[in-house]
């Protein structure tokens, strides 16, 4: 497995664990201190859909999709750029996990705006890099028979 994929899958497992923990707290909210449903409702969904599902799928995609290696790019993609995207995705999600419950508890202030803007920009930047890096790796290839036909004529 690529080192990048390993990091992404490990981060996704951590998000799965924390998303489930918050989900559990939301489920038994009436019996424990705190208002977990109010604090965590949309955030819990995003921890699991973005942090867990999406990051797991993209981590595996970086590893398994076809790649064109070159001496300049032994992995078939620019590792540093991909690492920046992973950092941006996870920091962006962390900002959301901090900012959203803060805002949902009545703190509709400048800090909430700043942290939610930061979250949005980081996650959009990460998505942009993922799309640009993976796009060429899903180019369609002519079926084998057609390729042979073309080389004969
Ligand atoms: C991959 C797994 C999961 C995903 C993708 C997921 C996703 C979601 C989403 C999208 C919501 C709606 C959030 C909203 O209304 O804004 C939600 C709500 C909720 N989830 Fe999860 N969830 C998962 C696992 C779990 C687990 C394991 C638990 C409990 C241990 C849990 C407990 C809850 C609770 C209590 C609610 C609030 C229900 C309500 O008040 O309407 N979830 N989840």
């Amino acid at each position: 497995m690529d080192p990048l994929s390993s990091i992404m899958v490990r981060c996704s497992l951590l998000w799965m664990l924390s998303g489930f923990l918050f989900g559990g707290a939301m489920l038994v909210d009436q019996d424990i201190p705190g208002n977990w449903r109010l604090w965590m409702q949309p955030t819990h969904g995003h921890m699991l859909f973005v942090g867990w599902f999406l990051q797991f799928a993209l981590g595996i995609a970086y590893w398994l999709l076809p790649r064109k290696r070159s001496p300049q790019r032994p992995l078939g993609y620019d590792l540093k750029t991909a690492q920046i995207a992973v950092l941006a995705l996870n920091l962006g999600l962390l900002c959301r996990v901090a900012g959203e419950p803060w805002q949902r508890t009545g703190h509709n202030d400048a800090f909430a705006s700043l942290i939610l803007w930061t979250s949005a920009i980081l996650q959009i930047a990460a998505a942009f890099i993922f799309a640009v890096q993976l796009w060429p790796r899903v180019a369609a290839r002519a079926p084998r028979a057609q390729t042979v036909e073309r080389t004969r004529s």
Side-chain angles (χ1 to χ4, degrees), residues 16 19-28 37 40-46 48-49 52-53:
M16 180 187 74
F20 274 36
L21 282 173
F22 284 126
M26 286 160 67
L27 203 57
V28 295
R37 273 181 205 240
M40 296 309 294
Q41 212 164 7
T43 313
H44 153 84
H46 281 87
L48 289 164
F49 278 125
W52 159 231
F53 279 164

Side-chain angles (χ1 to χ4, degrees), residues 68-90:
K68 238 190 216 144
R69 296 178 198 267
S70 69
Q72 293 77 27
R73 285 186 182 188
L75 287 168
Y77 55 87
D78 188 75
L79 179 62
K80 275 269 169 304
T81 311
Q83 285 170 332
I84 289 171
V86 173
L87 194 66
L89 184 79
N90 287 286

